[in-house]
Every structure is written in C-alpha cells, then in structure tokens.
Amino acid sequence: MSEPSRPSAAAPRSASNTPATPATPATPAAFGRGHTDDLMSFLTASPSPYHAVANTAARLEKAGFRQVGETDAWDGTSGGKYVVRGGAIVAWYVPEGAAPHTPFRIVGAHTDSPNLRVKPLPDSGAHGWRQVAVEIYGGPLLNSWLDRDLGIAGRLTLRDGSTRLVNVDRPLLRVPQLAIHLDRSVTADGLKLDKQRHLQPVWGLSDTVRDGDLIAFLEQECGLAAGAVTGWDLMTHSVEPAAYLGRDRELVAGPRMDNLLSVHAGAAALAAVTTSGSALPHIPVLAAFDHEENGSQSDTGADGPLLGSVLERSVFARGGSYEDRARSFAGTVCLSSDTGHAVHPNYAERHDPTHHPRVNGGPLLKVNVNNRYATDGSGRAIFAAACDRAGVPFQSFVSNNSMPCGTTIGPITAARHGIKTVDIGVAILSMHSARELCGADDPYLLANALGAFLEG
C-alpha cells in the first residue's frame, strides 16, 4: 500500500449530538481493518447528511484544514480549507506556490441516503397509537425499514436562525409489519406496501393527536426551551450499529454505505496526502454533495453551483483570470466515487454475464456507453494508473443490457463543469436497504486508490 494514503485507525462512537472524534494515525499492523473500524464508527455517528458533514469537517480540522465562510472574502494563501453548506462539504488544499491555473484533482461523493423523512406536520396517529408522519426520500428498499428499531436525527433550525444537530440514537420508532394471519396473500403475491398508508412509524400510545409533540420532545432532548425550534430537517435511521459479519469477519454490515463509505474514504485520502509532505502537482479536492438520491438539483447538490463556485473562487483568490480558470478546469479530473453492485449469489442472472464484481476484489470502474456513468477509455487509464501506484486491484462493472442502469453525480459533474470525470466505487449488496453489505477490505483499498489519485 502506498504510504501517503494510509487511512486512520478506529475512532470511538460519538455522543448523540456531537461529531465523531477524529482517529489517531494507525499502526502498520492496523492499516486495513483500522480504516474499516473507523468507517463503522463514522457510519454510526452520521445518521444524517448534516452529521456526516460535521464528522468529515472534524477529521479535516485535525489534518490542519480550516473552515472559510462563503460570505467572506477569500485570500490566496496555501493550506487546507473547506466550505460547509447544509448537508454538503467541499474541501481543498492549495500547495505552496500553486499557480492560478493549477488543475484540481477531485473526489466526488454524496452524503445522503434513501430513508424515511419527517413531514412538516409530523404528529399523527389512529386507534390509540401515536405515530410520526413521514415521506419517502429517494428510492429505499421499503421492506428493509419494517420491524426495525429506528431513531430520529437531523437538523433543527432555531428562532434566531441558528441550527442544532439532533440524534436520538436509541429505539424510538418502528414501522410494524402486518401479521401474516391478516394478509394471507403475501405468501402467494409477495409483500405490497402502500407508501402513504403502510410506512408511518409508531412511537407510543395516545387517544389524541397533539400537534407539536414530536418537536417538543426533540427540544427537550437537546436542552432547548419550549418553542425554540421553528424549522426542521429530520429523518429516521436504524439504531443497530455497523458490525463485522461472517465466519472470518470478512464482511461489514451497516447503514448508509451508499454513500458515506466514499465520503469517509475521500476524507481519509485527502487528509493523508496533505499531511504526507509530498509535493503535489495538483490541488486535491473532496466534494461531498447532498441530494444525489433524488436528482442532485439543489443548492447543495452536484447539479447546483457549489463546486464550480468554490473552484473558481480558489483560482481568482490566487490572482487568476478567466483564462487561468479555463486552463485549470481543462486539466482537472474528478473521480465520482459511489457504491456499485457486487454479483449477487442468489440473482447472478441479473448481472452482465462477463462482469461479476466481487466484494474484497478492489474498487469498481463503472462504465455505461449511454453516459449513465461518465467513464471513457482515457478515464479508465487515469484510474488504472492510480490503482497501480497504490498497489490496489480494481474491477470493471457494466449493467446487464436487459436492465436499466443507475446513475451518479459523475455525468452531472462532467456536463456542468466541463471536466474529465470517471465513475468508480465499492461493490456492495443490498444497495438502498436500511442496512447494506460490503467487503471488510474494500473501504481501505478504495481509500488508497483515492490517495494515489489525489497525489497525482
């Protein structure tokens, strides 16, 4: 493994409302599984995009990065900087003496995952049950949210405009499945769920619905005065922590791997290459966006202006012109890192017959000639070179021709900014489930490949 891209060892699980404590550097014997230990802590401590951003920022702060405000004037000094906007973070490191036209090397990822999100009027119930009204976010595997102990987390906005993270990380809600005795058709016809009627969780008993109950409860949890909260962005999460699985613990089961696995690997790689002391010919960047699961069209999504604004302001802060900006973007490359599909042992016919990616086989190079992924032949060469420098194997993924292909932030990034983009990721099973499955070695292999790419 390449020295600069060594990820961090395990960090302890954080308290409910605070970012996870950044890890200390790993010892050589702990490199691979130490990174995976830390990933599991990161997954558990990041039940919402807002928590994921706070935890990523904490790790970058430990590596010497400092937050800059979007409303402040930026200077052209060297060093690590980052911008936070809601559930998105963009971090970059300017090497000493970098010219205004210096190209960027970008790792792109996303912080959001499919789940159940709280509606504006959350308090509901019927027949003596107290319930929370939720809306379906993204494309979750709905059955994976049934009969699972759920917490609630997200962001509260206070009357003065400030925000507060909240994470009730204990069994609070549950979406109870109908007993088979009351639905005999499920055996023959399969489970059929109505998104409006069947996914509303229960969280207690009450003969009356009292408006404001849920928010009042969360105000108490956070030690806030009654009526302090005037806005919220809340979502449910499984409270079962990530864990090793299998006889030899060669697998990891956990929530939100799509796509916090890539956010975590990107942050580890960025911190490693910027503290290694190596001369960097490019400006390394981590861009972790929100709202990928519903199209990326927001001010914090990949189809918004955030990344382009940050890159341009960095060029101009170093005294660059529009010509320098154009030269910089022309030499820029982005790795769009998102999870992909490992071959499923029970559904192998759903995969392309000659492309069967396996877990613990190294990161995926994702290809689709209809531009659902942004990879082309020259992009493949760039990624292959990075993996070669890192000593990391990689695999190729294409969809079965008879099935539609998913997409990522890759094509959006390429089209919006006119920069070379390559789609990659880690092979997993149970994508979009409340609990997904990956190989225990793949997160570390991905982080090493990303580190070699950011080093250039």
Side-chain angles (χ1 to χ4, degrees):
M1 302 296 174
S2 60
E3 175 74 15
S5 54
R6 290 173 178 169
S8 299
R13 182 172 173 174
S14 68
S16 61
N17 291 329
T18 58
T21 303
T24 55
T27 60
F31 284 165
R33 292 299 169 91
H35 177 83
T36 305
D37 290 343
D38 189 51
L39 168 64
M40 292 193 292
S41 295
F42 183 79
L43 294 173
T44 300
S46 304
S48 77
Y50 314 106
H51 289 83
V53 165
N55 290 324
T56 301
R59 283 162 164 72
L60 294 175
E61 287 272 349
K62 188 172 183 182
F65 284 69
R66 295 295 177 261
Q67 184 173 3
V68 294
E70 290 191 82
T71 59
D72 297 334
W74 293 5
D75 59 43
T77 56
S78 60
K81 304 171 186 179
Y82 68 91
V83 164
V84 169
R85 183 190 290 183
I89 182 170
V90 179
W92 67 103
Y93 181 88
V94 179
E96 191 73 39
H101 61 269
T102 301
F104 299 92
R105 281 285 176 111
I106 304 167
V107 171
H110 66 88
T111 61
D112 60 318
S113 302
N115 56 18
L116 310 179
R117 301 207 172 186
V118 176
K119 289 183 176 180
L121 300 177
D123 300 292
S124 66
H127 308 291
W129 294 98
R130 176 180 290 171
Q131 294 178 274
V132 174
V134 296
E135 188 174 2
I136 311 302
Y137 178 82
L141 290 174
L142 297 178
N143 61 291
S144 70
W145 290 87
L146 302 179
D147 297 330
R148 190 179 292 275
D149 296 338
L150 304 176
I152 195 166
R155 178 179 66 174
L156 302 173
T157 302
L158 309 186
R159 195 171 296 278
D160 63 2
S162 63
T163 59
R164 178 78 63 88
L165 295 183
V166 60
N167 181 10
V168 183
D169 194 27
R170 63 178 187 272
L172 181 68
L173 306 100
R174 186 178 179 92
V175 182
Q177 187 171 187
L178 184 64
I180 193 171
H181 313 82
L182 303 178
D183 184 13
R184 297 291 184 178
S185 67
V186 71
T187 302
D189 301 333
L191 180 65
K192 297 179 181 179
L193 296 172
D194 183 283
K195 293 180 180 180
Q196 179 62 39
R197 294 185 294 123
H198 298 153
L199 274 298
Q200 307 306 310
V202 300
W203 72 302
L205 302 174
S206 178
D207 289 326
T208 60
V209 175
R210 294 187 292 270
D211 290 340
D213 266 4
L214 178 65
I215 301 306
F217 165 76
L218 295 177
E219 288 172 336
Q220 292 177 345
E221 287 286 308
C222 293
L224 297 170
V229 174
T230 56
W232 51 88
D233 301 279
L234 299 168
M235 57 207 71
T236 62
H237 67 276
S238 171
V239 299
E240 184 180 4
Y244 286 106
L245 184 144
R247 185 195 68 177
D248 299 319
R249 292 161 54 91
E250 69 267 55
L251 302 171
V252 173
R256 299 174 294 280
M257 291 183 182
D258 180 12
N259 185 34
L260 295 189
L261 190 158
S262 294
V263 174
H264 177 265
L270 180 62
V273 301
T274 57
T275 56
S276 68
S278 300
L280 298 174
H282 306 91
I283 296 173
V285 180
L286 171 65
F289 301 101
D290 201 353
H291 302 132
E292 189 273 346
E293 297 293 354
N294 61 12
S296 296
Q297 291 185 319
S298 71
D299 67 325
T300 53
D303 204 17
L306 179 58
L307 177 60
S309 174
V310 168
L311 300 184
E312 288 179 344
R313 291 183 68 176
S314 175
V315 170
F316 298 150
R318 283 175 282 123
S321 62
Y322 183 82
E323 179 70 10
D324 291 313
R325 180 263 188 211
R327 292 175 66 191
S328 173
F329 278 40
T332 291
V333 183
C334 174
L335 290 188
S336 165
S337 182
D338 204 343
T339 53
H341 302 293
V343 61
H344 198 300
N346 300 335
Y347 301 91
E349 73 280 359
R350 301 297 183 98
H351 299 263
D352 182 84
T354 59
H355 293 75
H356 281 177
R358 298 187 177 191
V359 299
N360 288 335
L364 301 178
L365 179 75
K366 299 156 72 173
V367 178
N368 179 264
V369 295
N370 293 300
N371 287 332
R372 301 292 285 173
Y373 302 132
T375 307
D376 62 10
S378 61
R380 184 187 194 281
I382 291 170
F383 185 59
C387 289
D388 185 60
R389 285 195 300 273
V392 170
F394 73 92
Q395 311 175 78
S396 295
F397 171 84
V398 295
S399 290
N400 186 304
N401 287 339
S402 300
M403 306 188 71
C405 179
T407 191
T408 67
I409 65 169
I412 294 171
T413 303
R416 181 170 184 85
H417 306 294
I419 59 180
K420 168 69 69 177
T421 304
V422 187
D423 271 297
I424 66 162
V426 162
I428 70 170
L429 293 183
S430 306
M431 187 183 293
H432 286 199
S433 172
R435 197 165 176 84
E436 297 162 323
L437 185 71
C438 78
D441 298 331
D442 281 332
Y444 173 64
L445 296 176
L446 174 66
N448 274 275
L450 295 181
F453 166 75
L454 290 177
E455 279 184 311

